[in-house]
Amino acid sequence: MTAYEPPGGPGTEEFDAVVLAGGAARRLGGADKPAVRVGGRALLDRVLAACAGAGATVVVADPRPTARPVRWARENPPGGGPLAALDAGLRHTTAPYVLVLSADLPFLDEETVRRLLDGLREGAGTTDGVLVTDPDGRDQPLVAAYRAEALRRELARLAVEHGGPTGLPLRRLTAGLRLTRITDPVASFDCDTWDDIAAARARIREHGHVLDEWISAVKDELGIDLDVDRTELLDLARDAAHNVARPAAPLTTFLVGYAAAKAGGGPEAVTEAARKAVALALRWSDEDTSDGEPGAEADAASGPETAPDAG
């Protein structure tokens, strides 16, 4: 997708995002890791969905199709390491806060992003960054939110001391920052090996995750961004199947979606269309339990018809 300018113009957004997606993936045999699919979606697209609220999202890698619009950047020379990639991506941001993410986080979500940014706001004046730690307590500097000014300050210092960021490890930068840590063992799960990929694919098919994962995948595939009330739609499908016929369930949910789109879209439109469809299904079912045609009850109440007297 093409680059874009968010509403309000550059510099008015609270946070931008820099996603590092250009690694060699040696432990995956050199596979194109950002394109590896988990739950039907590329790993990169899953990360982009989590930072959808960013004013600008910069992906440091060679351009490729993505589910959401991004800006592309590349370190010079390519393959200069994560610090060089971060430096290249940061040059395309303007917001005061910057999410810094790797492209192999299948379970990162918007809630974790909010936690990182909230920690940064609450630590105003005392914190340069908030990062996630993994289950073993190790820092994950590529699952983090930083003050852009602090990143630029440390990158400038490293440029003076080492002539530039190429080849330097990320810890050279984070060592000079005041950091706050949050624990999130799910969001910190990254995919370095094929065993990690297999574990991620297995997890999303577990009973407690599969429907949310499927809905997210469909929304990305169709290019829609709509909060879906899963319970509401499942109840609608149940009522249509029970009160009408089993095949009515998928057909009715499709028609409700179509009607909601014609009404302007949005959760309210879906709720109203679903309400009308459920009421119709109940009226349909009620007809099966009536005593007869309309007016039969009145006829029965009037008693048997009396034959006229003869003669």
Side-chain angles (χ1 to χ4, degrees):
M1 291 191 178
T2 57
Y4 75 112
E5 291 292 344
T12 63
E13 307 81 29
E14 184 181 28
F15 76 97
D16 292 332
V18 174
V19 182
L20 308 189
R26 293 183 180 86
R27 296 171 69 185
L28 288 178
D32 182 8
K33 182 161 65 169
V36 172
R37 296 186 178 274
V38 172
R41 292 187 290 163
L43 284 171
L44 175 58
D45 283 334
R46 296 177 71 91
V47 172
L48 294 179
C51 58
T57 299
V58 183
V59 180
V60 186
D62 292 330
R64 67 180 67 216
T66 56
R68 294 177 181 269
V70 302
R71 298 173 181 173
W72 297 98
R74 202 67 169 109
E75 71 273 28
N76 188 18
L83 193 58
L86 172 57
D87 181 49
L90 192 63
R91 296 173 186 273
H92 295 267
T93 66
T94 57
Y97 302 154
V98 179
L99 283 172
V100 178
L101 307 167
S102 61
D104 61 349
L105 303 167
F107 304 124
L108 181 71
D109 59 19
E110 290 181 287
E111 176 58 31
T112 301
V113 167
R114 280 193 292 269
R115 290 179 64 200
L116 291 169
L117 293 167
D118 286 347
L120 206 50
R121 297 186 200 100
E122 293 165 4
T126 61
T127 299
D128 294 322
V130 181
L131 54 76
V132 169
T133 60
D134 68 15
D136 296 322
R138 293 186 295 255
D139 287 352
Q140 300 298 311
L142 296 183
V143 195
Y146 300 96
R147 298 188 186 281
E149 181 182 3
L151 292 180
R152 293 189 176 98
R153 179 194 71 223
E154 290 304 302
L155 285 166
R157 176 181 62 81
L158 292 172
V160 171
E161 294 177 0
H162 300 278
T166 300
L168 295 180
L170 269 175
R171 64 177 178 272
R172 292 289 183 91
L173 180 142
T174 56
L177 300 176
R178 300 167 297 174
L179 298 175
T180 299
R181 292 160 176 82
I182 64 173
T183 301
D184 193 328
V186 176
S188 64
F189 182 91
D190 57 3
C191 293
D192 289 328
T193 68
W194 287 113
D195 285 344
D196 294 336
I197 297 291
R201 288 171 171 169
R203 184 182 187 278
I204 66 169
R205 287 170 172 78
E206 294 173 0
H207 176 70
H209 306 288
V210 65
L211 286 181
D212 286 337
E213 288 286 347
W214 173 245
I215 289 169
S216 295
V218 172
K219 286 163 61 176
D220 262 12
E221 189 72 15
L222 300 181
I224 59 176
D225 189 9
L226 174 69
D227 289 332
V228 176
D229 188 329
R230 184 180 72 188
T231 302
E232 179 179 77
L233 293 180
L234 289 177
D235 287 348
L236 165 65
R238 177 203 63 202
D239 289 340
H242 177 72
N243 294 308
V244 183
R246 189 176 296 275
L251 295 173
T252 304
T253 53
F254 164 77
L255 292 171
V256 162
Y258 186 81
K262 286 190 66 177
E268 297 82 3
V270 174
T271 295
E272 178 61 14
R275 183 192 65 78
K276 290 180 178 179
V278 168
L280 175 62
L282 293 176
R283 294 199 305 271
W284 182 289
S285 178
D286 285 345
E287 293 178 9
D288 292 336
T289 60
S290 65
D291 294 329
E293 294 298 322
E297 294 85 350
D299 291 342
S302 65
E305 183 174 301
T306 303
D309 291 338

